[in-house]
Amino acid sequence: MFEHTFSNVFFIFASKMKYTIKNIAELAGVSKGTVDRVLHERGKVSAKALEKVNAVLNEIDYKPNLLARSLKKTRNYHICVVLPDFNKDPYWSPCNEGIEEAIEEFASFGVFIEPFFFNPNDIKSFIKVNKKVLELLPNAVLLAPLFYKETIEIINKYALSNIIVSKFNNQLEINNTQNFVGQDLYKSGRIAASLMKEIISKNATIAIINIDEDSNNAIYVQEKEKGFRSFFNEIESYNIVTWNCKQQDIDAKLLDFINENIALSGIFVTTSKVYTIAEFIKNKKIEHIKVIGYDLLDENMLYLKNGIINFLIHQNPKKQVYLGLTYLVDYFLFDKEIPAKSLLPIDIITAENLETYTEN
Amino acid sequence: MFEHTFSNVFFIFASKMKYTIKNIAELAGVSKGTVDRVLHERGKVSAKALEKVNAVLNEIDYKPNLLARSLKKTRNYHICVVLPDFNKDPYWSPCNEGIEEAIEEFASFGVFIEPFFFNPNDIKSFIKVNKKVLELLPNAVLLAPLFYKETIEIINKYALSNIIVSKFNNQLEINNTQNFVGQDLYKSGRIAASLMKEIISKNATIAIINIDEDSNNAIYVQEKEKGFRSFFNEIESYNIVTWNCKQQDIDAKLLDFINENIALSGIFVTTSKVYTIAEFIKNKKIEHIKVIGYDLLDENMLYLKNGIINFLIHQNPKKQVYLGLTYLVDYFLFDKEIPAKSLLPIDIITAENLETYTEN
DNA sequence: TGAAAAAGTGTGCTCGAACACATTTTTTAA
DNA sequence: TTAAAAAATGTGTTCGAGCACACTTTTTCA
């Protein structure tokens, strides 16, 4: 270790001392300008000076003060979040909380976060909103890429304007995605299956129900279905059937579907719309069917608590946006790298541990 | 809205513009010193000036730049973490990772974090380590308060030296704890019980096994037991027995215990030592007993994957320390409030969702 | 009324990094 | 040998908040 002392520095933690560029300059016997040039490899440094500075840098553990760095290059950063309108689909409602928290928290650092909502049932609305955002020329966009083809196009346009794009919730291509925050949907399906297996008896029939899933975001639901089926394929002796339906058809057709499959003892709903099935089951007083679905919507939580839904899988949309925004902010302010792929844990929610996820 | 413009300010986002003290001073027609006095209520401001500044402050949404604020009052903060040696109990091993990550991340902000380990089986070691830490006079201590009486004493001493104390993992008093990061142990026991109920048949016998729990940290284990029993008390028709044992006695005595309780079909181990029971069950080729325990120790994860352990409850010690440290750092750097009580979600881990918690 | 005390106000420096620009040293070539 | 060009080095300003200190205005009271 170096044994030098600085006039202006009070050694509190001997070896763990925080060095500044000025300190390094003094130790190396050069000016802070030279140290700066060495640190940033800006050239214009003589071999002798380079050596002196590097000698010091090798001895100490210099970490630039990120507060000072970020303050110096103070800029106002603008991040837009593009996501479905939660009035059209309550699944997205928690995202809003996450965004509001991020707005509040990061405003003090000069980061301005702005949400933009589109209609998840209307591709045109998705395109329109993105066009509007593009015109604002923000520094970055955090996007829920619901529509495959249109997202590819808009991402290219953003790229032309040097706007960073991160995605959340839906993986655009299932592999090789960049800047993505979300969950592994295939695994999520497998987990649902493993839970189902624990709570129903052998040789039973299990239904996978996809509600209101048109071809657009069907790929995401299909991943879950694949995962679910893969689990049972490995153990056999279960009969898995898939039913695609519209929400308004449930009342008219679900009873027929149940009667057609007499051994039916488990239903896996691939989205947050599981409450519609639960409602039906409750009204018809069907007691032998176990239900697993997605997400902590108010209605879902109600049916979970009174035992009609047995398990919910938590996709944690709030954490997804918040984390996505955190990555972008850390990138702008502190030069942190944005993780190419951030897969959140897949939480299993029961009536008992539910409140530990909703508190605070 | 104000319609003024500043010579040196470029309006990017009309109303969402970031104001500085200088801006406010210009708008109010006073100097930044006066604005500063108003903001901090330092007095020495005339009624007229106060009014002018407040008029501006009411119109705009001033958020001080936390980077600048923190840079100005640059200090080196020293935080000590006092926790059990992970060589004595592998449960604490993930904490180390959390601490290492925090050290790395916060060093750039002038925060120096230092871990101190004590022997969890030796009260004297706990006292000794804390005494050592006290002499260092850090700004804060993050503590795993394993021993009740001794913790009370040491906390008082820290307080006398104006050292902030946060606790994690063990709640000192079950209610009214301050600066605590951890889980609700009672609830955790209930969750274990609810899972047990799903996977065993009615009228069965269930064993609660406490391994190596002497009177010191017994209170924490007792909370889990209480929660577990409370769940089954509500539904009856189950027979719950408790067995307290030493790890070295398992081989000699567990088989007797199992034979004494012929209907035994579920075991709840109240700590991370569940692998010792799993090992026994595997060796004796007992197949009808379901096992639920705690924490993602390597051995536990192995038995979870091969089906001997059915569920693990994740106490997330790594997240606990990391979060505890984050709270302290945010407090020192950005004047954020330290939450009095931060209860983490209680994660249910199965063979299927396990890897979503261990990745990244 | 006027000097002293009190109250109010403004200026300028600091934190550490970054970078523009000024100054000094070395190299080049006539 | 020397002037010009190039390279190397050092200096000073900025970011925004916070605070010490200097300066100005108002109030107090003999």
Side-chain angles (χ1 to χ4, degrees):
Chain A
M1 260 318 288
F2 264 74
E3 296 295 330
H4 304 255
T5 50
F6 310 104
S7 50
N8 60 335
V9 165
F10 183 51
F11 274 85
I12 311 175
F13 332 112
S15 68
K16 289 284 183 176
M17 132 106 207
K18 273 298 285 175
Y19 292 90
T20 68
I21 286 186
K22 208 175 144 198
N23 295 154
I24 297 171
E26 288 175 24
L27 284 174
V30 297
S31 75
K32 65 198 182 85
T34 301
V35 175
D36 180 73
R37 278 181 286 268
V38 173
L39 286 172
H40 293 88
E41 293 176 335
R42 282 196 237 277
K44 308 251 176 187
V45 175
S46 68
K48 212 199 294 172
L50 182 71
E51 203 186 337
K52 283 195 287 183
V53 173
N54 275 334
V56 175
L57 289 177
N58 288 333
E59 284 294 326
I60 65 165
D61 179 30
Y62 171 68
K63 298 234 173 81
N65 184 322
L66 294 184
L67 298 173
R69 170 178 291 177
S70 195
L71 175 62
K72 179 55 184 63
K73 28 181 209 173
T74 269
R75 270 180 53 200
N76 284 306
Y77 298 98
H78 188 190
I79 303 176
C80 295
V81 190
V82 177
L83 75 167
D85 183 349
F86 57 91
N87 293 314
K88 306 281 178 188
D89 181 352
Y91 167 72
W92 300 96
S93 183
C95 289
N96 235 41
E97 291 172 42
I99 295 171
E100 289 302 325
E101 281 174 28
I103 289 175
E104 189 64 25
E105 174 164 8
F106 299 128
S108 315
F109 295 97
V111 180
F112 170 49
I113 297 169
E114 206 179 359
F116 292 85
F117 303 99
F118 63 87
N119 182 340
N121 310 312
D122 180 6
I123 298 193
K124 279 181 202 152
S125 145
F126 177 77
I127 297 173
K128 199 174 134 197
V129 167
N130 275 297
K131 204 179 153 197
K132 193 172 148 197
V133 168
L134 181 61
E135 279 166 12
L136 292 173
L137 291 174
N139 301 94
V141 175
L142 179 60
L143 192 66
L146 239 58
F147 308 106
Y148 184 82
K149 212 183 96 232
E150 291 71 20
T151 303
I152 303 284
E153 279 169 25
I154 192 73
I155 282 185
N156 286 332
K157 284 185 195 157
Y158 283 131
L160 286 176
S161 300
N162 282 316
I163 298 167
I164 295 173
V165 179
S166 285
K167 286 139 278 168
F168 74 103
N169 200 74
N170 304 82
Q171 241 173 308
L172 205 52
E173 293 153 274
I174 293 306
N175 296 312
N176 269 331
T177 312
Q178 288 213 321
N179 285 18
F180 171 71
V181 181
Q183 287 185 331
D184 185 328
L185 301 178
Y186 180 86
K187 226 173 245 174
S188 152
R190 278 192 66 93
I191 291 164
S194 72
L195 293 170
M196 188 63 90
K197 191 205 150 209
E198 292 282 343
I199 56 175
I200 64 172
S201 42
K202 276 192 182 172
N203 302 313
T205 296
I206 303 164
I208 300 171
I209 302 187
N210 302 311
I211 302 170
D212 286 344
E213 291 306 324
D214 52 27
S215 54
N216 280 314
N217 35 17
I219 22 169
Y220 311 115
V221 159
Q222 276 164 23
E223 276 299 302
K224 292 176 184 171
E225 188 174 337
K226 270 191 215 164
F228 193 87
R229 284 182 176 274
S230 90
F231 182 87
F232 281 108
N233 279 344
E234 288 165 12
I235 43 176
E236 299 182 7
S237 83
Y238 289 87
N239 177 32
I240 320 277
V241 293
T242 299
W243 188 44
N244 299 305
C245 71
K246 294 275 160 206
Q247 187 171 335
Q248 58 265 35
D249 294 347
I250 290 174
D251 268 342
K253 297 181 180 167
L254 182 53
L255 205 58
D256 286 345
F257 179 79
I258 291 176
N259 290 333
E260 276 165 30
N261 298 279
I262 1 163
L264 185 72
S265 54
I267 291 179
F268 170 49
V269 182
T270 51
T271 63
S272 60
K273 299 235 168 100
V274 56
Y275 62 89
T276 57
I277 301 291
E279 191 186 14
F280 183 90
I281 285 180
K282 191 193 169 197
N283 289 340
K284 302 289 178 195
K285 299 200 166 56
I286 302 167
E287 295 204 331
H288 63 287
I289 296 182
K290 308 281 187 176
V291 180
I292 295 177
Y294 281 88
D295 302 315
L296 306 188
L297 307 196
D298 289 343
E299 281 178 291
N300 288 349
M301 294 196 287
L302 222 66
Y303 289 116
L304 183 70
K305 276 183 206 156
N306 65 26
I308 297 185
I309 293 176
N310 298 76
F311 289 105
L312 285 172
I313 289 176
H314 190 16
Q315 302 195 83
N316 222 330
K318 178 176 170 183
K319 194 173 168 189
Q320 287 186 30
V321 243
Y322 188 80
L323 205 61
L325 288 171
T326 302
Y327 288 147
L328 288 169
V329 171
D330 279 348
Y331 170 79
F332 287 127
L333 295 182
F334 305 125
D335 288 327
K336 299 234 172 103
E337 218 177 312
I338 302 174
K341 203 170 172 179
S342 176
L343 291 178
L344 298 186
I346 300 176
D347 300 321
I348 297 168
I349 312 294
T350 69
E352 281 301 324
N353 75 340
L354 172 61
E355 59 178 335
T356 72
Y357 284 87
T358 53
E359 276 166 0
N360 67 53
Chain B
M1 255 321 285
F2 264 75
E3 294 297 329
H4 302 254
T5 50
F6 308 105
S7 51
N8 59 335
V9 165
F10 183 52
F11 275 84
I12 310 176
F13 331 112
S15 68
K16 289 285 184 175
M17 134 105 207
K18 273 299 284 175
Y19 291 90
T20 69
I21 286 186
K22 207 175 143 199
N23 295 154
I24 297 171
E26 287 174 24
L27 284 173
V30 297
S31 74
K32 65 196 185 86
T34 301
V35 175
D36 180 74
R37 277 181 286 267
V38 173
L39 286 171
H40 294 89
E41 294 175 332
R42 281 196 238 277
K44 308 253 176 184
V45 175
S46 68
K48 212 199 297 174
L50 183 69
E51 202 185 338
K52 283 195 288 182
V53 174
N54 276 332
V56 176
L57 288 177
N58 287 333
E59 284 294 327
I60 66 166
D61 178 31
Y62 171 68
K63 298 237 174 78
N65 184 321
L66 295 184
L67 298 174
R69 169 178 292 175
S70 195
L71 174 63
K72 178 56 184 61
K73 28 181 210 170
T74 269
R75 272 181 52 202
N76 285 306
Y77 297 99
H78 187 190
I79 302 176
C80 295
V81 189
V82 177
L83 74 168
D85 184 347
F86 57 91
N87 292 314
K88 305 282 178 187
D89 181 352
Y91 167 73
W92 300 95
S93 183
C95 289
N96 236 40
E97 291 172 42
I99 295 171
E100 289 302 325
E101 281 175 27
I103 289 175
E104 188 64 25
E105 174 164 7
F106 300 128
S108 315
F109 296 96
V111 180
F112 170 49
I113 297 169
E114 207 178 0
F116 292 86
F117 303 99
F118 63 86
N119 182 342
N121 310 313
D122 180 7
I123 298 193
K124 278 182 202 151
S125 144
F126 177 76
I127 297 172
K128 198 174 136 199
V129 167
N130 274 297
K131 202 177 154 198
K132 193 171 148 198
V133 168
L134 181 61
E135 279 166 11
L136 292 173
L137 291 174
N139 300 95
V141 175
L142 180 60
L143 192 66
L146 238 58
F147 308 106
Y148 184 82
K149 210 183 96 233
E150 292 70 21
T151 303
I152 303 284
E153 280 170 24
I154 192 72
I155 282 184
N156 286 333
K157 284 186 195 156
Y158 283 131
L160 285 176
S161 299
N162 282 316
I163 297 168
I164 294 174
V165 179
S166 285
K167 286 141 277 166
F168 74 103
N169 199 74
N170 303 81
Q171 241 173 309
L172 204 53
E173 293 153 273
I174 292 305
N175 297 312
N176 270 331
T177 312
Q178 286 213 324
N179 287 16
F180 171 71
V181 182
Q183 287 185 332
D184 184 328
L185 301 178
Y186 181 85
K187 229 172 243 173
S188 152
R190 279 191 66 92
I191 291 163
S194 71
L195 292 170
M196 187 63 90
K197 190 204 150 212
E198 291 282 344
I199 57 175
I200 64 172
S201 42
K202 277 189 180 171
N203 303 312
T205 295
I206 303 164
I208 300 171
I209 301 187
N210 302 313
I211 302 170
D212 285 344
E213 290 305 323
D214 53 28
S215 55
N216 279 314
N217 34 15
I219 21 169
Y220 311 114
V221 159
Q222 276 165 23
E223 277 299 303
K224 292 177 184 171
E225 188 174 336
K226 271 191 213 164
F228 193 87
R229 284 182 174 274
S230 89
F231 182 88
F232 280 109
N233 279 345
E234 289 165 13
I235 43 177
E236 299 181 6
S237 81
Y238 289 87
N239 177 33
I240 319 277
V241 293
T242 298
W243 188 44
N244 299 304
C245 70
K246 294 273 158 208
Q247 185 171 338
Q248 58 266 34
D249 293 346
I250 290 175
D251 267 342
K253 297 181 181 168
L254 183 52
L255 205 57
D256 287 344
F257 179 78
I258 291 176
N259 289 333
E260 277 165 28
N261 298 277
I262 1 162
L264 185 71
S265 54
I267 291 178
F268 170 49
V269 182
T270 52
T271 62
S272 60
K273 298 234 169 99
V274 56
Y275 63 89
T276 57
I277 302 291
E279 191 186 12
F280 182 90
I281 285 180
K282 190 192 170 198
N283 289 341
K284 301 290 178 193
K285 298 201 166 58
I286 302 167
E287 295 204 332
H288 64 286
I289 296 183
K290 307 281 185 176
V291 179
I292 295 178
Y294 281 88
D295 302 315
L296 306 188
L297 306 197
D298 289 344
E299 281 178 292
N300 288 350
M301 294 196 287
L302 221 67
Y303 288 115
L304 184 69
K305 277 184 204 154
N306 65 26
I308 297 185
I309 294 176
N310 297 76
F311 289 104
L312 286 172
I313 289 177
H314 190 16
Q315 302 196 84
N316 222 330
K318 179 177 169 182
K319 194 173 168 190
Q320 287 187 28
V321 241
Y322 188 82
L323 205 60
L325 288 171
T326 303
Y327 289 146
L328 288 169
V329 170
D330 278 348
Y331 170 78
F332 287 127
L333 294 182
F334 305 124
D335 288 326
K336 300 234 172 102
E337 218 178 313
I338 302 173
K341 203 168 170 179
S342 176
L343 291 178
L344 297 187
I346 300 176
D347 300 321
I348 297 169
I349 313 294
T350 69
E352 282 300 324
N353 76 340
L354 172 61
E355 59 178 334
T356 73
Y357 284 86
T358 53
E359 277 166 358
N360 68 52

